[in-house]
Amino acid sequence: MQKYILRRAALLLPTLIGITLVVFLAVRFLPGDVIDQMTGERGSANPEMRRQLEERYSLTGSVGRQYVEWLSDIAAGDLGTSITTNRPVTTDLRQRLPITFQLGTMALLISILVAIPVGILSAVTQDSVWDFLARSLSIGFLAVPSFWMGLLVLTYGFVWFGWVPPLNYRDLWEDPAQNFQIMIAPALILGAGLSGTVMRMTRSMMLEVLRHDFTRTARAKGLSPRVVIIRHALRNAILPVMTIVGLQVSVVVGGTVVLEQLFSIPGLGSLLLTAINTRDYPVVQGIVLLSAVVVVLSNFAVDIAYTLVDPRVRYA
Amino acid sequence: MKALSTHVFSRLYRIRPEQPNASGSISMTPEPDAAESTEVSPDGLTYTIKLKANVRWHPPVNRPMTADDVVFSWDRFMGKLPGTTPAVNSEKLTFVKSVSAVDERTVRFTLTRKYGPFFSFLADPTTISLMPKETGTAFDPAKVMVGSGPWMFDSWEPGVRYKFKRFDQWHGGPAPYFDALEINVVPEYAQRLNNFLAGNLDALGIDGLDYDRAKKQIAGIHAVMSANTSTYGVSFSHVTDKSRPNSPWTDVRVRRAVSMAINRDELYEAGYSVSQLKAAGLKVPEVWGAYVPQAFPAAYVHPNEGAAKQYMKYDPTAAKKLLDEAGGGFKAPFHYAPAYGRVPTLAAELIVQYLKKIGIELTAEPEDYPSKFVPFTYGGEFEGLAMAGQGGFPDPGNFLEGFYSKDSQRNPSRVEDPKVEEYVKKYYDELDDQKRITIIREWQNYLYEQMYNVPTGMIGDSSVVVYQPYMRGMQDHVAGGYGYGGEATPYFWRDA
Amino acid sequence: MAVNSVTAGAAEFVGTPLPGRLSRVLRFARRKPVAAFGGLVVILLVVLALIAPMVAPYAYDEPRVLDRLQGPSGAHWFGTDHQGRDVLSRIIYGSQVTVILCFGAVGLSTLVSTAIGTISGYFGGITDTVIQRFVDIWQAFPGLIFIIFMVSVFGSDRWSLIVVLGLLFGVGSSRVVRSATLAVRRLAYVEAAQALGASHPRILMAHILPNVVPVVIVTASVQVGAVILAESSLSYLGFGTPPPFPTWGRMLQESRQFMQRNPTLAVFPGAAIALVVYSVNMFGDGLRDALDPRLRGTR
C-alpha cells in the first residue's frame, strides 16, 4: 500500500511540472501583451518606454531562462507582482482563495446531501414514477445554465421577498450571518448543478451493487430493506461515487467564476476575470496554476482515500 | 484608475462643478484648483501660476505644496527623472518648453508656441496630476497614493471596490461632507439595481427602463442626467487614401450613405430609453453626440443645423440611392470594443443591421480593447469599418484634433486633409475664447460634409444616475464624463 | 473461433435489414419512453436548424426599436427582444448555431478521444504512460477556465469555439475510451489476432474500435449538453460568438438587463436550452442502459 502511494505521488511530479510549463507558455500567447495594456493608446509609439517596462517586468532574455527563473521563484513561494496593484500575487491569492474554497465546499456538500439520498431512492424504485422524477429533476438541474438560475434568483428573490444578497463580503468567522446570506444562494445553485452528476453515479452504482450476490444473501437472511441498502449496498457503492465527487472539484472551480461574477463575491473567479481584462498576467498565471494544482491534489487525495478504504484496488 | 485619480490628486486647474443647463449639458469651464491666479504674458507664451497657500499633502507627507512639487510632478510625468517612464499622453505636450519654480509658491510654464485652451489643458487629469516630491524617492506611489485632493486613498481591491477617506485639510474645505467614499464594482446589473432599491447604495447609473420603477419604489429619489462628454462614430480605414483597393468609402457619397442609413432616434431609444424617461417626467435632452460632445454647448454644432441637417437625417431610401450611384453595396469587417460598455456595443450591433438594409454587409468583429482595438483603431491599422469612441477631454478642440489631424496618434480613419491641418493651427493659435468658438463651429461643419467619421449619437453607457432621497448637493455640483468625479463628490452631503 | 464470433457480431449490427432496425427502435421507445422522447427532440432540433429560414416568421436581424420588449402576442408568439426583434425567429435561427457547435465540437471530441483512448489503451506500456501524463496535465485545468483562456487567445467565432470545446471534451473523455480499450484488449480474440500476425492498425480498426463504439456514443450524447451549456456560460461572461446572429446563450445574456421588464424574454431561450440539454441527457441515459450488456438483463 505504501508503495502504491509513493508511486502515485511520484507520478505527481511530472504532472505538476507539465502544468507549470503550460501556464508559463500559455500566458505568452495571450493576445497583445501587458506592455500594450500599460501604455494604453500610445504604446506602439515609443520603443524606449516599451524596453524599460519589459526590463522592469523581466520579459527580456530567452524564454527558457525566463521559465527557469519563474519556476525557482515559485519554488520560493513567489508568484510575482501584480501589474495593476503592485502587490505580491500571493497576497491576493491568500485573500481570495478561502472565499472560493468556502463557496466550493458548500456547493459540494449540498450536492452530496441532495444527490446520495435521491440516487438511492431512484435506484431502489427503478423505473417507477419516483425514479423518473428524481432523474428528471437531477438532469433538469444539469440542464439549466447556472447564470440563468442565478439571475432568476436575484431578480425574483427581490421582487417577491425583498431579498438582496449584501454587497459587502464578510468572512465566515467575522460575521457568519452576513457571510451566509451572501454565500447560500450561489452555493445552492452550484450544488444543484453538481448534484445531477453525483446522483446519476449513485443510482447506477446502487443498481449494480443491488444485483450482487451479497445483497441478495443479505435480503434472503431476512434483513430489512433499509439495513440492506445502508449497511451493505451503499457501503459498496460509495467509492465510485466519491471518485465522481472528487472529479467534480474541477467543475466547481470553473462554476465559481460565473457565480462569483453574478453575486459579486470577491473570490478567485472574479479576480481571474478582472485580471484577464486588464492583462495582469502574473495574476492570471497564479490563479490558473493554483486551480490546476488544487485539482491535481484533490484527485490524488481521492485516489489515496480509495486505496485506504478498499484494499482490493491496485493500480498499475 | 484614471477615473478615480481626481478624487485623490489635485490639478492646477479643474473643471468648474456646475449644474447642467436646460438641455442637460454642462459647459466644461476650467477654474483654479491648486492654483490661485495666473498671469499670461502678452505673447501668450509664458504662464506664471501662483499656488494657493493652503494646499496640503495627505499624510504621511503632511506639508504644504510648493512650486518644487509642481516641477517634480511635471518631470515625473514627462519621464525626465531617473527611473521614471514618460506617461501615456506626454507626447502631445511638446509645446511646453519648460516648467520652473520662480519662488516657493510660483511656477512658470514657458511654451514654444501659442496654445489657446491652455487652462483646459491644465484641467485634464490625464496630462498633469500633482504629486509630492517624496513620491520619487520615499515610497512607491502605486502602493501609497498621496495627493492633495479632497479624498485620501484608503484601499483598493481590483474588481471589487475602491475606498477613500475624507481629507480634513483640503484646500477646498469645509468639504468633503461625507467621511468616506466607497466605489463598488458590481458586475451584474440586477445585483446593482436591487442593492440600490434596497437602500444599500447611495447612487447608481441606471437603465432608463428602470427609472420609473425606482421612482415608484423609493419616494423622493433624485435623478441626474449623465453629462454628454464623449462621442462614438463609425470610422473607415484609410479614408483619404484613394489608391487603396476595395475601399469604396474613399468616395464621400458612400460615407454619407452610411450616415443616412443609421436610425439615430432608434439608437438613442434602445440605448437610453428616452421615451420611458420622458414618460416618467424627466427632462430629457435631445442628445445627439456629434463631432463635439454636447457638454460644450457653445462650441457644439447641432446635427439639425447647417450642413449637418441633410446627412445626419435617417433616410434609408436616399442612402441606398446615394450608395448605388457610388457603385453599390460591399462587404467589410466592422471592429468594435465590447469594453466600451453595454450601450455602445448595442449600437454597434444595430449599425450592422441598419447597413445591411442598404446593401453593406458588415461582419461584427468584437475586439479585445487593449491588445487589438487600441492599436487597430487609434493606430488606423484596421481594415474595413470600426466604431471608435473618444471622451473626457476638457476642450472641444481635443476631439477634432485627435480624430482628424494627421499628426495625431489617435486618428482611426487615417485622415490626411490639409484643410483639417489649417483648422488645427488656426484654432490653437487663437487666444480669444470667442474667436476659437467661431473657428471650431466652422470646422465641424466641414467635417459634417466630409463624414470621415460618422457620428452615431451614442454618449456612453448610462443616461441617468439616481441618488437616494437623503442625498443632497448633486444638483449644484455635477460634472460628468470620465476622470472628473473628483469635482462633484466632495460637495455631496446627507440630509439627516 | 472467437475472432469469427465477434466479427460476425459486428456484421450483424451493420447488416440488419431495415425492418429489423425499425423494430429495434420501436422496442427501445417502448422500454425507454423518456429516452426516446429525448431522441425525438434531438431529431426535431436538427430538422429545425435545416429549415430555419423557411419556418421563421421574421428575419433574425430586423430591429424595430419602438416595438421592443413586448410580451407574447399573435404577431410575435414569443414576444420581442430589446431591439424589437422577434424572439421566436431568433430562437429558430439560434438552433443552427446550437447544431453546428454540437456536431462540430462533439464530432471533433469523439475523434480525439477515440484516437487517444484506443492508442493509449491498446499499446500500453511506455506509450500509455506518456500519453496519460499529458492527459493528466490537460485535465488539471478546470474546464471553464481553460475555455475562457483559449477563447481570449483564439477569438470567439464559431470555428474557434468548436476547436476549443472539441479538444477540451475530447482529451477529457479519452480516459473512458481507454478503459474500454483495456477491457477489450485482454480478451482472447484480440490476443489470438495478434498471434496470427495481424497488424496493429488492423486490430485497432477491426477489433478494438467496434467494441468501444457504445462507450463513445454514450459519452458523446452527454457532451452535447455540455457544449450548449458552455456556450451560454461563455456568452454570459462576454466571450460569446459575435452578433447579430443569435445563439440561445447570447439571447439569455442579452435578456439580463430586461428581466423585470419582460420576464418572457429570458424564459424562452432558457427553456430551449433546458429542453435540449435534458433531452440529450435522457437519450444518453437510455442509450447507456440499452448498450451496456451488464445492465441489459435488469430490464
Side-chain angles (χ1 to χ4, degrees):
Chain A
M1 166 118 17
Q2 258 176 346
K3 225 170 129 191
Y4 170 71
I5 294 177
L6 279 178
R7 274 189 60 185
R8 184 69 183 69
L11 279 180
L12 274 181
L13 199 66
T15 311
L16 289 174
I17 289 178
I19 288 170
T20 58
L21 201 59
V22 170
V23 169
F24 174 81
L25 288 177
V27 168
R28 270 146 188 83
F29 287 120
L30 270 178
D33 55 39
V34 69
I35 310 291
D36 283 336
Q37 161 69 23
M38 293 197 312
T39 53
E41 299 171 6
R42 285 137 218 271
S44 47
N46 193 334
E48 174 58 17
M49 190 193 297
R50 170 170 286 274
R51 200 189 52 76
Q52 287 184 16
L53 289 168
E54 276 175 354
E55 219 154 74
R56 176 156 176 212
Y57 292 102
S58 48
L59 288 167
T60 49
S62 73
V63 175
R65 221 189 70 198
Q66 284 182 39
Y67 174 67
V68 173
E69 276 174 15
W70 182 68
L71 208 57
S72 56
D73 283 349
I74 292 178
D78 174 11
L79 284 170
T81 308
S82 158
I83 284 161
T84 41
T85 61
N86 244 1
R87 288 195 294 243
V89 174
T90 42
T91 313
D92 281 336
L93 295 190
R94 213 174 289 140
Q95 193 181 345
R96 307 283 189 117
L97 179 66
I99 301 172
T100 302
F101 182 78
Q102 188 201 341
L103 180 60
T105 313
M106 282 171 76
L108 271 180
L109 282 179
I110 290 169
S111 77
I112 293 170
L113 285 179
V114 173
I116 291 185
V118 176
I120 294 172
L121 176 79
S122 186
V124 174
T125 62
Q126 193 192 5
D127 282 338
S128 74
V129 177
W130 291 114
D131 180 26
F132 169 71
L133 277 181
R135 285 165 59 204
S136 291
L137 202 70
S138 77
I139 295 184
F141 282 135
L142 261 184
V144 175
S146 62
F147 81 85
W148 186 50
M149 190 101 118
L151 271 175
L152 289 176
V153 169
L154 273 182
T155 307
Y156 291 101
F158 184 70
V159 173
W160 291 333
F161 310 109
W163 172 81
V164 190
L167 283 182
N168 278 330
Y169 179 81
R170 292 275 177 278
D171 265 353
L172 182 58
W173 318 119
E174 199 184 324
D175 185 348
Q178 180 148 351
N179 178 282
F180 187 75
Q181 271 200 60
I182 295 175
M183 300 295 248
I184 188 65
L188 275 172
I189 294 167
L190 194 54
L194 298 174
S195 69
T197 319
V198 181
M199 179 262 154
R200 284 159 88 195
M201 190 66 186
T202 314
R203 177 178 176 273
S204 50
M205 285 326 292
M206 282 300 287
L207 280 179
E208 191 154 316
V209 174
L210 283 174
R211 281 183 294 108
H212 272 287
D213 290 342
F214 62 89
T215 11
R216 289 194 191 147
T217 317
R219 221 177 277 166
K221 278 196 301 191
L223 291 176
S224 80
R226 183 179 297 179
V227 174
V228 175
I229 289 165
I230 292 176
R231 194 180 297 166
H232 298 270
L234 184 59
R235 215 171 66 188
N236 282 282
I238 202 80
L239 276 174
V241 173
M242 290 331 285
T243 313
I244 284 287
V245 172
L247 288 177
Q248 297 284 63
V249 169
S250 152
V251 183
V252 172
V253 176
T256 52
V257 177
V258 172
L259 288 161
E260 284 178 10
Q261 177 86 346
L262 198 59
F263 286 87
S264 327
I265 294 171
L268 279 182
S270 77
L271 184 65
L272 175 72
L273 288 177
T274 315
I276 283 187
N277 284 333
T278 52
R279 300 277 172 260
D280 193 342
Y281 80 90
V283 176
V284 175
Q285 271 182 333
I287 295 175
V288 175
L289 187 65
L290 182 67
S291 54
V293 170
V294 166
V295 169
V296 169
L297 291 183
S298 66
N299 288 350
F300 175 68
V302 167
D303 267 12
I304 299 303
Y306 212 112
T307 19
L308 290 179
V309 176
D310 188 347
R312 284 174 308 178
V313 179
R314 285 289 182 275
Y315 286 101
Chain B
M1 280 312 270
K2 225 184 287 179
L4 299 165
S5 67
T6 54
H7 291 94
V8 177
F9 297 105
S10 307
R11 289 153 282 164
L12 288 169
Y13 276 71
R14 64 173 184 173
I15 301 301
R16 184 162 68 211
E18 65 185 64
Q19 195 169 4
N21 67 11
S23 63
S25 49
I26 304 153
S27 58
M28 292 171 71
T29 316
E31 69 166 15
D33 185 4
E36 189 173 69
S37 60
T38 300
E39 227 176 86
V40 190
S41 68
D43 61 0
L45 292 179
T46 314
Y47 289 75
T48 310
I49 303 174
K50 187 106 187 128
L51 298 177
K52 284 180 183 144
N54 61 346
V55 183
R56 289 188 71 83
W57 297 112
H58 300 164
V61 173
N62 234 341
R63 61 169 176 79
M65 180 188 286
T66 65
D68 285 343
D69 292 318
V70 179
V71 175
F72 162 81
S73 302
W74 179 262
D75 288 347
R76 187 185 155 82
F77 191 84
M78 299 299 286
K80 283 181 187 163
L81 296 175
T84 59
T85 48
V88 172
N89 282 332
S90 51
E91 287 98 337
K92 78 178 182 197
L93 308 184
T94 46
F95 68 87
V96 179
K97 192 159 90 188
S98 68
V99 179
S100 56
V102 179
D103 62 43
E104 183 92 327
R105 274 179 51 213
T106 314
V107 200
R108 180 167 296 145
F109 281 72
T110 316
L111 313 189
T112 55
R113 58 177 166 89
K114 283 192 282 188
Y115 191 89
F118 187 73
F119 293 109
S120 297
F121 157 80
L122 289 180
D124 185 343
T126 64
T127 49
I128 177 169
S129 290
L130 300 176
M131 294 175 184
K133 275 185 300 197
E134 286 82 346
T135 301
T137 49
F139 46 76
D140 186 347
K143 281 183 191 151
V144 187
M145 284 173 51
V146 175
S148 55
W151 301 100
M152 295 189 292
F153 179 75
D154 185 0
S155 66
W156 170 35
E157 245 184 279
V160 183
R161 81 173 46 82
Y162 303 86
K163 279 186 183 176
F164 302 96
K165 282 182 300 202
R166 175 177 189 271
F167 178 46
D168 51 15
Q169 297 176 66
W170 186 45
H171 58 270
Y177 304 122
F178 276 98
D179 288 334
L181 174 69
E182 264 188 48
I183 297 175
N184 288 290
V185 182
V186 183
E188 181 51 52
Y189 177 73
Q191 171 83 323
R192 292 199 292 269
L193 179 64
N194 291 345
N195 267 289
F196 178 79
L197 293 177
N200 299 342
L201 294 172
D202 297 319
L204 174 75
I206 196 175
D207 191 296
L209 282 172
D210 297 310
Y211 173 62
D212 194 32
R213 202 173 127 242
K215 206 174 87 170
K216 278 187 190 131
Q217 198 147 343
I218 305 175
I221 198 175
H222 307 287
V224 175
M225 295 300 299
S226 296
N228 170 11
T229 59
S230 48
T231 67
Y232 292 85
V234 178
S235 299
F236 306 87
S237 61
H238 298 85
V239 71
T240 48
D241 187 351
K242 299 260 184 204
S243 65
R244 287 171 66 87
N246 305 323
S247 302
W249 47 83
T250 51
D251 185 330
V252 68
R253 288 174 297 180
V254 173
R255 304 196 295 269
R256 288 172 179 168
V258 167
S259 177
M260 289 156 73
I262 296 174
N263 188 341
R264 295 181 178 80
D265 285 333
E266 267 200 10
L267 281 183
Y268 201 45
E269 178 68 29
Y272 309 119
S273 309
V274 182
S275 57
Q276 266 86 4
L277 291 179
K278 277 184 183 160
L282 270 188
K283 223 181 185 178
V284 186
E286 299 212 356
V287 183
W288 272 21
Y291 285 107
V292 161
Q294 225 190 7
F296 308 100
Y300 170 72
V301 175
H302 195 282
N304 286 351
E305 293 172 40
K309 210 164 156 187
Q310 188 185 351
Y311 306 124
M312 291 289 282
K313 207 174 89 192
Y314 175 56
D315 189 345
T317 327
K320 177 106 184 61
K321 217 177 124 213
L322 202 57
L323 186 67
D324 288 343
E325 282 168 23
F330 55 89
K331 288 184 180 176
F334 184 51
H335 309 270
Y336 65 97
Y340 277 151
R342 193 184 70 86
V343 173
T345 306
L346 170 67
E349 185 178 348
L350 280 163
I351 287 168
V352 171
Q353 298 172 93
Y354 291 142
L355 294 190
K356 191 180 166 190
K357 283 189 194 154
I358 64 164
I360 300 176
E361 277 184 52
L362 300 180
T363 27
E365 305 264 5
E367 308 282 13
D368 179 61
Y369 187 72
S371 68
K372 284 254 188 81
F373 196 73
V374 169
F376 264 42
T377 54
Y378 294 141
E381 285 164 20
F382 67 99
E383 289 299 324
L385 279 63
M387 191 163 103
Q390 50 176 348
F393 300 112
D395 183 78
N398 299 149
F399 287 85
L400 301 190
E401 180 207 1
F403 260 27
Y404 307 101
S405 164
K406 72 173 166 43
D407 297 325
S408 164
Q409 309 270 353
R410 196 164 38 82
N411 176 346
S413 296
R414 290 282 105 206
V415 178
E416 289 191 22
D417 182 345
K419 194 107 194 254
V420 170
E421 305 309 323
E422 258 173 54
Y423 279 120
V424 174
K425 185 156 169 33
K426 233 162 90 183
Y427 180 81
Y428 283 109
D429 281 353
E430 183 55 63
L431 295 181
D432 182 284
D433 288 354
Q434 276 314 312
K435 284 185 187 151
R436 261 207 322 279
I437 282 178
T438 317
I439 297 169
I440 201 168
R441 292 184 66 90
E442 205 182 298
W443 190 357
Q444 284 169 82
N445 275 322
Y446 176 70
L447 292 173
Y448 275 126
E449 292 264 348
Q450 294 300 325
M451 285 288 168
Y452 291 135
N453 176 290
V454 174
T456 61
M458 294 289 105
I459 59 167
D461 220 6
S462 163
S463 56
V464 53
V465 182
V466 286
Y467 294 86
Q468 297 286 357
Y470 53 76
M471 291 290 290
R472 293 285 182 275
M474 301 84 58
Q475 299 297 346
D476 305 321
H477 297 289
V478 170
Y482 77 84
Y484 299 92
E487 282 97 349
T489 49
Y491 302 103
F492 291 177
W493 49 282
R494 190 188 177 111
D495 199 18
Chain C
M1 273 305 114
V3 179
N4 284 338
S5 78
V6 165
T7 28
E12 182 196 67
F13 187 82
V14 176
T16 311
L18 206 59
R21 268 196 210 167
L22 190 67
S23 75
R24 251 191 211 189
V25 171
L26 287 177
R27 202 166 60 221
F28 179 73
R30 207 169 47 243
R31 283 196 189 154
K32 300 267 168 202
V34 185
F37 166 77
L40 190 67
V41 169
V42 175
I43 293 170
L44 285 180
L45 175 76
V46 175
V47 172
L48 187 67
L50 287 174
I51 61 168
M54 283 180 264
V55 288
Y58 298 87
Y60 62 84
D61 57 354
E62 232 173 73
R64 280 191 198 81
V65 174
L66 297 180
D67 300 336
R68 70 194 184 127
L69 300 174
Q70 289 174 355
S73 68
H76 300 282
W77 290 2
F78 287 2
T80 59
D81 74 355
H82 65 299
Q83 299 180 18
R85 300 174 299 197
D86 183 57
V87 172
L88 175 62
S89 305
R90 285 179 65 77
I91 287 184
I92 292 174
Y93 277 102
S95 67
Q96 294 186 334
V97 181
T98 307
V99 168
I100 293 172
L101 277 185
C102 289
F103 271 83
V106 175
L108 178 63
S109 151
T110 305
L111 276 180
V112 170
S113 67
T114 312
I116 298 181
T118 49
I119 290 173
S120 185
Y122 173 74
F123 289 104
I126 184 79
T127 319
D128 186 40
T129 312
V130 171
I131 292 181
Q132 288 313 305
R133 292 295 74 72
F134 277 109
V135 176
D136 272 347
I137 294 168
W138 186 274
Q139 282 194 314
F141 297 100
L144 194 63
I145 290 178
F146 172 84
I147 305 174
I148 291 174
F149 193 84
M150 295 305 272
V151 166
S152 66
V153 176
F154 295 111
S156 61
D157 61 273
R158 284 176 207 177
W159 306 113
S160 22
L161 269 189
I162 286 177
V163 172
V164 169
L165 291 175
L167 286 178
L168 174 72
F169 293 140
V171 179
S173 58
S174 68
R175 281 268 155 87
V176 187
V177 181
R178 174 177 169 268
S179 336
T181 309
L182 282 176
V184 179
R185 193 187 62 169
R186 296 202 188 99
L187 294 182
Y189 68 87
V190 175
E191 285 170 5
Q194 279 169 333
L196 288 173
S199 70
H200 290 315
R202 196 184 139 64
I203 297 175
L204 273 173
M205 296 306 284
H207 305 300
I208 306 279
L209 210 52
N211 282 287
V212 298
V213 161
V215 174
V216 170
I217 291 177
V218 171
T219 320
S221 73
V222 177
Q223 285 175 356
V224 170
V227 169
I228 296 174
L229 291 178
E231 190 274 323
S232 74
S233 289
L234 280 179
S235 284
Y236 172 69
L237 295 174
F239 299 99
T241 55
F245 203 93
T247 73
W248 296 347
R250 157 172 288 278
M251 293 178 72
L252 267 193
Q253 130 80 11
E254 288 169 348
S255 74
R256 323 190 330 229
Q257 196 105 348
F258 313 103
M259 228 155 174
Q260 281 153 357
R261 199 84 195 178
N262 181 7
T264 55
L265 205 52
V267 168
F268 290 111
I273 290 176
L275 176 68
V276 171
V277 178
Y278 175 82
S279 298
V280 288
N281 274 291
M282 278 306 202
F283 181 62
D285 263 15
L287 218 53
R288 182 178 49 204
D289 287 2
L291 292 174
D292 186 344
R294 286 178 308 167
L295 291 175
R296 206 172 265 166
T298 63
R299 301 298 121 101

